[in-house]
């Protein structure tokens, strides 16, 4: 369970949008099959959102350990069928998670490159 200072408001209209450690978030509820995912509340804009919003895990249902294992295998260049066998999930699941993580990684890359120094 990560500290709330690692999270930020996901409401783009909020003055604290994207600000980590602004001390504006609280846990207002839990959800998911085992009530293991936190629903966060922003004191600034009064909106609620999943702790997974803005991450590649948002909307995906595998247990967290299995998700991380799946993505670790993909990151180590394991193919879809190998990963499927090793993690114990359907190959289509591997593909779906791979695509979700890839979209997130591309968005992060584009954001980081946009702010890289030009003369180095
Ligand atoms: Zn907010």
């Amino acid at each position: 369970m990560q500290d709330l200072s690692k999270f930020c408001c996901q409401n783009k209209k909020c003055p604290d949008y994207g600000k980590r450690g602004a001390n504006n978030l609280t846990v207002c509820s839990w959800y998911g099959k085992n009530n293991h995912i936190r629903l966060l509340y922003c004191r600034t804009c009064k909106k609620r959102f999943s702790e997974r919003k803005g991450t590649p895990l948002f909307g995906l249902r595998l247990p967290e350990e299995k998700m991380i294992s799946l993505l670790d295998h993909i990151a180590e260049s394991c193919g879809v069928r190998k990963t499927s066998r090793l993690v114990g999930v359907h190959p289509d699941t591997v593909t779906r998670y791979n695509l979700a993580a890839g979209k997130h990684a591309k968005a992060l890359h584009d954001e980081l490159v946009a702010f890289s120094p030009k003369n180095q």
Side-chain angles (χ1 to χ4, degrees):
M1 190 79 26
Q2 287 203 331
D3 182 10
L4 286 181
S5 66
K6 307 265 186 213
F7 294 88
C8 58
C9 181
Q10 296 293 314
N11 175 15
K12 289 182 180 173
K13 294 178 181 170
C14 177
D16 287 334
Y17 171 71
K19 292 181 188 169
R20 288 191 176 92
N23 206 21
N24 58 328
L25 301 177
T26 60
V27 177
C28 66
S29 183
W30 296 77
Y31 75 99
K33 191 174 181 182
N34 300 315
N35 273 343
H36 63 290
I37 304 170
R38 293 179 292 186
L39 192 64
L40 304 180
Y41 173 77
C42 175
R43 288 188 204 122
T44 307
C45 66
K46 317 284 189 224
K47 297 284 183 189
R48 294 179 298 167
F49 53 90
S50 168
E51 68 177 331
R52 289 186 173 180
K53 188 166 183 183
T55 75
L57 308 182
F58 184 63
L60 302 177
R61 295 181 181 192
L62 280 180
E64 194 164 320
E65 306 81 46
K66 209 168 230 192
M67 262 191 243
I68 290 169
S69 175
L70 187 156
L71 295 173
D72 279 347
H73 281 82
I74 292 292
E76 291 294 327
S77 304
C78 241
V80 170
R81 280 175 277 171
K82 271 187 194 173
T83 301
S84 164
R85 283 190 301 272
L86 291 168
V87 178
V89 296
H90 194 275
D92 290 347
T93 304
V94 175
T95 302
R96 192 170 58 251
Y97 279 67
N98 195 15
L99 287 172
K103 282 180 192 169
H104 187 79
K106 183 185 182 317
L108 180 63
H109 170 268
D110 291 349
E111 186 177 322
L112 292 174
V113 169
F115 293 107
S116 292
K118 290 181 179 172
N119 297 328
Q120 288 187 359

